[in-house]
Amino acid sequence: MIFLRLFIEFFKTGLFSIGGGLATIPFLSAMGEKWGWFDEATLGNMIAVGESTPGPIGVNMATYVGYTVGMGEYGIWGAILGGFIATLALVLPSVIIILIIARILKAFKENKLVERSFYSIRPAVTGMIATAAVAMIKSAVFTKGGNNILKMIDLKALILFSVLLIATNVKPIKKLHPIFFILIAGAIGAIFKMGAI
């Protein structure tokens, strides 16, 4: 039953998350709330790991969720099967749609109604990605406790966020590979957690 649920949830996510990996984040957030498979903090960690490992973020997160859900229910074999099912379910809608479109590509491409539909879909996808970004910022920079605004902000996280946001928009630094920023942020995070700073 858990594997069927995984398949249905990730098939729906793959079918409706138009725009790629980051567009899956609102679906994953809703999935975590509905089934209790993970919380917002875990989702933030999944996004960080998914972005810093090779492959599409949506596929990486589907594999991760399937793995952890399957592991919790059936051990290592459940984890392997869960990861496979969630990943397959996420990519299957795209494969089916691409196969259908490939058959009617010319007529589909020149259809004005389809062209107008995609014009409307782009802003909606942008809004979904922006929503995910705001949720990640809240999860990474703000703490749950305290009624004082200063106690609600993780100052170290805010400084790290601000420095990296500015650094990634400065021309000479902007040209550096994303792995550089991931490694630097990981090292600083480790130093923060060890209490050295």
Side-chain angles (χ1 to χ4, degrees), residues 148-192:
N148 182 340
I149 189 71
L150 294 176
K151 290 183 178 178
M152 292 172 60
I153 297 172
D154 183 344
L155 191 57
K156 292 175 185 176
L158 180 62
I159 291 168
L160 180 59
F161 170 77
S162 302
V163 168
L164 284 175
L165 181 66
I166 293 165
T168 54
N169 287 295
V170 173
K171 283 204 176 192
I173 300 173
K174 191 176 185 176
K175 294 178 182 177
L176 294 172
H177 199 279
I179 291 174
F180 171 78
F181 296 108
I182 291 168
L183 293 174
I184 292 295
I188 293 170
I191 292 168
F192 281 169

Side-chain angles (χ1 to χ4, degrees), residues 38-176:
F38 49 85
D39 57 15
E40 286 294 323
T42 306
L43 179 60
N45 291 338
M46 287 167 39
I47 293 166
V49 171
E51 283 283 18
S52 58
T53 52
I57 184 173
V59 171
N60 290 347
M61 291 198 300
T63 306
Y64 179 84
V65 172
Y67 177 88
T68 54
V69 169
M71 176 69 86
E73 294 288 324
Y74 301 105
I76 189 67
W77 293 110
I80 293 168
L81 185 59
F84 175 76
I85 287 171
T87 305
L88 175 68
L90 185 76
V91 299
L92 195 57
S94 300
V95 171
I96 293 168
I97 291 168
I98 288 168
L99 290 174
I100 292 169
I101 290 173
R103 307 254 326 159
I104 53 172
L105 182 61
K106 189 161 186 179
F108 190 81
K109 184 178 166 185
E110 295 169 0
N111 187 320
K112 290 288 181 196
L113 182 62
V114 171
E115 189 178 312
R116 290 182 188 134
S117 296
F118 278 114
Y119 177 79
S120 301
I121 289 172
R122 280 193 298 258
V125 170
T126 304
M128 289 172 63
I129 292 171
T131 300
V134 169
M136 283 186 58
I137 291 168
K138 280 170 53 180
S139 169
V141 175
F142 294 95
T143 62
K144 302 260 190 234
N147 53 6
N148 182 340
I149 189 71
L150 294 176
K151 290 183 178 178
M152 292 172 60
I153 297 172
D154 183 344
L155 191 57
K156 292 175 185 176
L158 180 62
I159 291 168
L160 180 59
F161 170 77
S162 302
V163 168
L164 284 175
L165 181 66
I166 293 165
T168 54
N169 287 295
V170 173
K171 283 204 176 192
I173 300 173
K174 191 176 185 176
K175 294 178 182 177
L176 294 172

Side-chain angles (χ1 to χ4, degrees), residues 13-44:
T13 301
L15 187 60
F16 294 110
S17 59
I18 299 166
L22 292 176
T24 64
I25 295 171
F27 292 94
L28 289 168
S29 181
M31 196 184 302
E33 286 179 22
K34 182 177 180 182
W35 299 110
W37 290 337
F38 49 85
D39 57 15
E40 286 294 323
T42 306
L43 179 60

